[in-house]
Amino acid sequence: MRKFRILLITLTMAGWGNVHAQRNAAPSAPPTPPVEKLPVGSRALNIDSAVITHAEVTIGGVRVPYDATAGAMPVWDEEGKPVAGVFYTYYERTDVKDRAARPLVISFNGGPGTPSVWMEIGYTGPRRLNIDDEGFPIQPYGVKENPNSILDVADIVYLDPVNTGFSRAVSKDIPTSRFFGVNEDIKYLAQWIATFVSRKNRWASPKFLIGESYGTTRASGLALELQEAQWMYLNGVVLVSPTELGIERSEFVKASLRVPYYAATAWYHKALPADLQKKDLTEMLPEVEDFTVNELIPALAKGGFLEEAKKKELAVKMSRYTGLSERFLLQSNLIVPANFFWKELLRDKGFTVGRLDSRYRGLDMQDAGEGPDYNAELNSWNHAFMPAMNVYLREELHYKTDLQYYLFGPVRPWNNQNDHTGENLRQAIAENPFMHLLIQSGYYDGACDYFNAKYSLWQLDPSGKLKDRLHWEGYRSGHMMYLRKPDLASSTENLRKFIKASLPKPGEPAKY
C-alpha cells in the first residue's frame, strides 16, 4: 500500500489549506518571495506554494523512493511583478547522491489548452490511471503504481501553462495575449523553467524536454529559446505525436501524407484486401509509404492536368490501400478529407472511427453524413483521466483547493502567427552538439499522423548533417500510444535508452 508523509505544512493556501514548503536548499538558491495568504474556500491560485509528499514505486523490480512536490511558481512581467502562477508537479528520486549527474526531464502536453495530466498519469510519471490493457476506462477511477515510469533514470517536472490545470493569471486585468500564442507561450515558459531550475539547484543536471501534440510545437521552440534567452542547453528533445512544427507543405502533400495512416486504420479494422490483410502492419505499410512518396505526390503535383488514365490507376491503388471506393476517390480528385474517412470507413457497419486513435469506434445518430458526431477516443480519455487526476492531486498529493482543474482550458484566441518552431529546433540542434531528437508516433493517430511526422523529420534538416541525431519510432496505437500496455512498456524503455544515449561521456567536449 502506498504510504505518504507530508514533510512540511506551514502556511494556509488557497482552498482548503495548501501549504508552502521548501526542501533543504543550498544557500545560493534564489529566495522565495513572500506568500500571499488567501481565505479558506478561495478559488484563486496561491501562485507561490507547495506541498511535498514522500512515496515509493517499483520500476524494473527496483524500489525507487521519491519526493513529490505539487505547487505553483510565479510568472513575472518585465518589471518583476507576478502576472500568473504556473502549477507543477515535481518528482525527485531521494536516494541519489550525485544530483548534478542526474537527468532532469521537463514535460508538458499541448492543445493548446491542456495540462500535463496525460503525460503525468498516463505515460512517464510514477503513478498511472486505472485503464484496461488497451487504454479504455474502467471503474473505480483512480491511480496505481506505474512500473514503467522513467523516474528510475531521471527526475521529472510536469508543468501546466496558464489556464490549464490549476494555472491562472493573477487577475482578469492581465491581458491573455501575453500567454496565448506560439511565441508568447514559449517566451514566458522558458523564463519559468529557468526559475524552476534555479530554485531546485538543477543547473548542472543534463536536461530533456518531452512534449506531446501541440506540446511538440512548444518543445521545439523552447529548445532554442532556452538556449538563446536563458543560456540553458539541453541534451535531448522528445516529440510525442508531433504537429507539423511550422514546416510548410502544400495541401496536396499534406493530404497525401495521410494515406499511410488511412491504410493502417483500414488494416486494423480488417477493411483491406486479403493479400494486404494477411501481412503484419509494419510489413504492409512500407508499400503504402512508397506509393505515397513516389507515385501519389508527383501525380497530384500536376493538378487538373493529370492524365485521366493515370488518375483512374491511382484511384484503384488508393482504394486498395484505404478501404474507400474508387468512385469516391475519383469524385474527390484523390484527396481524402480526414473527417470523411473517419465517417466512411465503417459506415456500412454502423460505426465511426476515432480521430486521435482510430482503434476506437463511435456511434452516430445516423449513418449518413460527412463526419462523426463526436470524437470517440477523446470522450473515452476524458472519462478516464479527469476523475483520476482529481483523486490523485487532492487525495494522494494533498493539494487541496476549490479551483476547477481545467482539462481543456480557455486559451482562445491563440496567436499562431510566425510559427517557425521546426526551424528553431533545427538551429538549436545545430548550435548544440550534445542535443538529440526523438519522435514517437502512433500508427493510428489521425490528428498528428505518423507519416507526416516522418516527413517533418526528413525536412527538419535539408543538409542531412544532423540526421545521426534525429530518430523516429512507431507504435501500434494512436495519439497517446502509451495508453496501450505493450506500447507503454516499449516506449518508456526507448525513452530510457534515448536519455542514456544522449548523455556525453565524462570529459567529452561539445564540439564538431
Side-chain angles (χ1 to χ4, degrees):
M1 183 176 180
R2 191 168 185 263
K3 298 180 180 178
F4 295 94
R5 59 183 176 85
I6 302 180
L7 301 180
L8 292 174
I9 301 181
T10 56
L11 296 173
T12 301
M13 287 183 59
W16 305 321
N18 285 337
V19 300
H20 174 76
Q22 272 194 309
R23 298 180 68 246
N24 295 330
S28 59
T32 302
V35 179
E36 179 186 1
K37 294 184 179 181
L38 297 171
V40 173
S42 170
R43 300 194 73 177
L45 176 71
N46 186 322
I47 63 170
D48 211 332
S49 55
V51 178
I52 301 175
T53 57
H54 181 75
E56 294 182 338
V57 60
T58 298
I59 304 172
V62 177
R63 204 66 179 160
V64 176
Y66 65 91
D67 284 343
T69 303
M73 277 180 20
V75 175
W76 290 284
D77 65 12
E78 295 76 9
E79 297 176 355
K81 296 178 181 178
V83 293
V86 166
F87 183 80
Y88 69 92
T89 46
Y90 175 46
Y91 299 93
E92 187 177 53
R93 184 169 179 170
T94 54
D95 61 351
V96 173
K97 294 181 180 179
D98 185 5
R99 192 67 60 187
R102 170 87 168 159
L104 173 66
V105 167
I106 302 156
S107 187
F108 35 77
N109 278 88
T114 69
S116 298
V117 53
W118 322 97
M119 300 290 277
E120 182 172 359
I121 64 170
Y123 194 11
T124 52
R127 303 288 280 169
R128 189 167 187 259
L129 80 167
N130 291 330
I131 47 178
D132 77 357
D133 288 354
E134 289 297 314
F136 290 86
I138 59 175
Q139 290 181 322
Y141 301 115
V143 292
K144 56 190 176 185
E145 279 197 1
N146 182 7
N148 300 108
S149 172
I150 62 170
L151 188 58
D152 57 331
V153 297
D155 296 332
I156 316 164
V157 58
Y158 300 92
L159 61 90
D160 298 340
V162 174
N163 270 20
T164 74
F166 291 140
S167 300
R168 302 287 193 276
V170 296
S171 79
K172 294 180 180 179
D173 297 328
I174 303 297
T176 57
S177 58
R178 72 177 302 125
F179 310 115
F180 300 161
V182 173
N183 295 296
E184 294 83 352
D185 176 78
I186 289 166
K187 182 178 180 180
Y188 87 83
L189 287 177
Q191 295 170 348
W192 187 93
I193 289 169
T195 301
F196 177 89
V197 167
S198 293
R199 286 196 181 186
K200 303 302 181 183
N201 301 310
R202 300 306 299 266
W203 275 97
S205 301
K207 300 172 189 67
F208 295 80
L209 299 181
I210 302 182
E212 180 182 70
S213 195
Y214 182 82
T216 63
T217 298
R218 177 179 292 130
S220 298
L222 278 170
L224 187 64
E225 180 73 10
L226 286 170
Q227 238 169 244
E228 298 202 336
Q230 304 299 327
W231 304 282
M232 183 183 295
Y233 289 74
L234 304 171
N235 286 74
V237 175
V238 180
L239 307 181
V240 179
S241 305
T243 64
E244 295 175 359
L245 307 179
I247 297 173
E248 292 189 10
R249 59 203 82 189
S250 69
E251 286 303 312
F252 76 81
V253 168
K254 187 186 303 185
S256 298
L257 294 173
R258 288 197 295 262
V259 170
Y261 152 73
Y262 293 152
T265 300
W267 180 90
Y268 179 84
H269 290 288
K270 297 179 171 54
L272 296 181
D275 65 314
L276 291 177
Q277 202 65 57
K278 70 181 182 181
K279 293 182 179 182
D280 186 63
L281 175 66
T282 53
E283 181 186 4
M284 179 270 295
L285 285 177
E287 179 181 332
V288 187
E289 294 175 7
D290 181 75
F291 164 77
T292 300
V293 172
N294 295 315
E295 293 189 59
L296 184 59
I297 291 177
L300 293 183
K302 295 183 178 180
F305 286 80
L306 177 64
E307 299 83 357
E308 194 64 27
K310 183 63 175 178
K311 192 173 186 179
K312 290 180 180 179
E313 177 189 332
L314 292 171
V316 171
K317 288 189 177 182
M318 285 186 68
S319 177
R320 172 176 161 80
Y321 293 142
T322 64
L324 303 179
S325 71
E326 294 175 29
R327 179 182 178 185
F328 164 74
L329 291 166
L330 289 170
Q331 290 174 338
S332 64
N333 298 319
L334 305 179
I335 293 178
V336 181
N339 207 45
F340 181 84
F341 176 82
W342 300 322
K343 180 77 173 184
E344 176 69 14
L345 183 67
L346 300 181
R347 192 191 298 267
D348 290 346
K349 297 180 179 179
F351 294 106
T352 62
V353 298
R355 169 178 173 262
L356 294 161
D357 192 329
S358 294
R359 297 175 303 143
Y360 291 70
R361 299 189 301 184
L363 294 173
D364 281 358
M365 183 175 68
Q366 58 183 22
D367 293 334
E370 296 183 356
D373 291 349
Y374 65 98
N375 293 330
E377 78 299 326
L378 189 56
N379 279 276
S380 176
W381 297 343
N382 295 348
H383 187 169
F385 274 88
M386 188 61 168
M389 193 59 169
N390 274 287
V391 168
Y392 180 52
L393 289 174
R394 291 176 161 89
E395 297 181 22
E396 292 200 13
L397 296 188
H398 302 284
Y399 195 88
K400 305 293 187 179
T401 178
D402 285 327
L403 269 174
Q404 179 184 8
Y405 185 85
Y406 282 160
L407 192 62
F408 293 92
V411 297
R412 305 293 179 183
W414 188 269
N415 181 9
N416 286 305
Q417 300 299 311
N418 299 314
D419 179 359
H420 304 298
T421 50
E423 169 55 21
N424 295 155
L425 179 57
R426 184 210 62 79
Q427 185 174 339
I429 296 172
E431 291 179 359
N432 179 2
F434 280 163
M435 192 186 298
H436 291 71
L437 172 68
L438 172 64
I439 293 179
Q440 296 182 318
S441 297
Y443 290 115
Y444 306 125
D445 181 1
C448 299
D449 62 274
Y450 88 91
F451 203 53
N452 257 292
K454 277 190 174 182
Y455 182 85
S456 292
L457 191 71
W458 299 337
Q459 303 303 318
L460 193 68
D461 172 39
S463 75
K465 295 177 182 177
L466 305 178
K467 63 183 178 183
D468 290 344
R469 289 188 278 152
L470 311 180
H471 312 281
W472 179 90
E473 297 168 353
Y475 298 90
R476 294 171 183 253
S477 43
H479 197 70
M480 299 182 189
M481 72 280 171
Y482 44 81
L483 297 186
R484 180 173 176 265
K485 189 175 181 179
D487 288 335
L488 173 69
S490 59
S491 59
T492 49
E493 184 57 29
N494 288 337
L495 286 179
R496 285 186 189 85
K497 293 176 181 178
F498 175 74
I499 289 171
K500 292 176 181 178
S502 301
L503 299 177
K505 298 173 183 176
E508 180 182 349
K511 69 177 183 179
Y512 293 117

